[in-house]
Amino acid sequence: HVQLVESGGGSVQAGGSLTLSCTASRYLEPDFFMAWFRQTPGKDRVGVAGIDPDGYPLYADSVKGRFTISRDNAKNTLYLQMNKLEPEDTATYYCVADSNKGLMNAIGHPAVEDDFTHWGQGTQVTVS
């Protein structure tokens, strides 16, 4: 079983930037699809950005032009660069990995933990 560990969350003022990282506990095959989801209390987790094995990104409309997803397969690490943060971006952010390309179809849509194989524990981002 792969453990995904997120880091980089915190508090920032509106207009600021943060970079989230997600590192896998072991080698993750390059053919895995990876993504970032976020969740606010009482609501479903929603996919905000995904990246396929070839590095092709996909973004939810709410973050397009502000967030950038990238991956470093040699370091087993996924990143999310978040710029021009807004209070509406406040959420717990989760890293997700799955061999199923269906993960990319979840970008911009809600999902539950059972939908995909590997989830991180989440990191809090607060924008004020």
Side-chain angles (χ1 to χ4, degrees):
H1 182 73
V2 175
Q3 283 189 313
L4 301 175
V5 180
E6 301 99 335
S7 60
S11 297
V12 64
Q13 290 189 334
S17 299
L18 282 174
T19 300
L20 304 183
S21 300
C22 168
T23 301
S25 60
R26 64 162 177 81
Y27 174 73
L28 202 60
E29 287 75 6
D31 61 353
F32 266 64
F33 296 82
M34 301 191 76
W36 290 96
F37 281 66
R38 68 185 181 188
Q39 184 176 29
T40 54
K43 295 189 177 181
D44 291 330
R45 299 180 185 186
V46 177
V48 295
I51 188 165
D52 75 5
D54 294 323
Y56 182 81
L58 192 63
Y59 300 99
D61 287 345
S62 58
V63 306
K64 199 172 294 183
R66 300 188 297 121
F67 289 12
T68 302
I69 188 171
S70 61
R71 62 194 291 171
D72 186 334
N73 292 333
K75 296 182 178 179
N76 296 326
T77 301
L78 177 73
Y79 303 97
L80 185 67
Q81 173 68 44
M82 305 185 294
N83 298 326
K84 300 179 182 179
L85 282 162
E86 304 168 352
E88 292 74 20
D89 296 317
T90 296
T92 300
Y93 284 72
Y94 296 90
C95 171
V96 185
D98 201 294
S99 57
N100 189 335
K101 66 180 180 180
L103 180 58
M104 300 296 281
N105 295 332
I107 302 308
H109 301 286
V112 296
E113 196 163 347
D114 286 345
D115 286 342
F116 302 111
T117 305
H118 305 294
W119 291 81
Q121 83 289 351
T123 186
Q124 178 66 34
V125 172
T126 302
V127 185
S128 60

